[in-house]
Amino acid sequence: NAVDLKGVDDVVVSQNVMHDYNQPDNPSADGVITVSHYGGSSLGPRRVWFIYNEMYNAESNAGQIGSLGGEGIYYIGNIVHDIGGYAFIGWSSDDATYIGNTMYNVGGGVRSRDIDTTRITNNIFGSLNFLNIIFIKTFVPQHKLLDSFIYRNLWFVIIISL
């Protein structure tokens, strides 16, 4: 991983170029560019900002919020392309926000599973290979999708409440 955050608060990752996370020679590598996980809202990571980065050429996901990812994870103004999995994926966390990102030639746009609140605003989704946006929430979902542009895709948005 280019960035792997655990148990931290108030982090800004800005204006970086992160690429080439296809590591077939390393069986423990997951092919993910950025990861924020383990800790929950009491231990962090909390208030993490990924701003104006370029992320490309990864076999898995560009931005991943893992189990107990904490609160206030923001991806703003990033360019994400040539990713085998989702541009952004998250599960079992308090909240995630995606604003003004450009995603193209990736497997999927945003996947949110059991994140209390997900905000997706003013993003551009282009040439995605499978689902653009998927929300899966065990309880009542509090997700917002506003003013985003989707281009050349077969699938749009799926919302599943279990």
Side-chain angles (χ1 to χ4, degrees), residues 54-104:
E54 182 177 9
M55 297 176 250
Y56 64 93
N57 197 20
E59 62 188 49
S60 188
N61 306 305
Q64 182 168 300
I65 302 169
S67 180
L68 301 174
E71 65 182 45
I73 310 294
Y74 300 87
Y75 285 89
I76 299 174
N78 298 286
I79 298 171
V80 179
H81 59 94
D82 300 309
I83 304 292
Y86 282 89
F88 304 111
I89 187 167
W91 62 90
S92 302
S93 298
D94 291 345
D95 67 273
T97 301
Y98 309 96
I99 300 173
N101 299 289
T102 300
M103 297 155 264
Y104 63 93

Side-chain angles (χ1 to χ4, degrees), residues 84-86 106-109 128-132 153-155:
Y86 282 89
V106 299
L128 281 66
N129 297 324
F130 49 91
L131 293 173
N132 293 319
N153 296 305
L154 299 174
W155 299 87

Side-chain angles (χ1 to χ4, degrees), residues 8-157:
V8 296
D9 293 344
D10 305 313
V11 175
V12 176
V13 178
S14 182
Q15 300 176 357
N16 297 284
V17 177
M18 299 173 265
H19 58 89
D20 296 325
Y21 286 87
N22 303 310
Q23 301 160 346
D25 297 333
N26 184 353
S28 66
D30 57 7
V32 176
I33 296 178
T34 66
V35 181
S36 303
H37 58 142
Y38 303 123
S41 59
S42 63
L43 301 174
R46 295 182 296 190
R47 299 176 303 277
V48 175
W49 302 74
F50 294 92
I51 305 172
Y52 304 123
N53 299 290
E54 182 177 9
M55 297 176 250
Y56 64 93
N57 197 20
E59 62 188 49
S60 188
N61 306 305
Q64 182 168 300
I65 302 169
S67 180
L68 301 174
E71 65 182 45
I73 310 294
Y74 300 87
Y75 285 89
I76 299 174
N78 298 286
I79 298 171
V80 179
H81 59 94
D82 300 309
I83 304 292
Y86 282 89
F88 304 111
I89 187 167
W91 62 90
S92 302
S93 298
D94 291 345
D95 67 273
T97 301
Y98 309 96
I99 300 173
N101 299 289
T102 300
M103 297 155 264
Y104 63 93
N105 196 28
V106 299
V110 177
R111 179 181 171 130
S112 173
R113 180 179 180 93
D114 290 327
I115 293 182
D116 293 341
T117 303
T118 302
R119 295 169 207 86
I120 302 173
T121 305
N122 293 330
N123 294 283
I124 298 173
F125 300 88
S127 298
L128 281 66
N129 297 324
F130 49 91
L131 293 173
N132 293 319
I133 303 162
I134 182 168
F135 298 129
I136 304 171
K137 183 69 179 133
T138 305
F139 304 105
V140 178
Q142 295 183 18
H143 302 302
K144 294 183 180 179
L145 171 63
L146 301 170
D147 301 325
S148 292
F149 177 73
I150 289 93
Y151 174 72
R152 284 185 46 192
N153 296 305
L154 299 174
W155 299 87
F156 181 55
V157 177

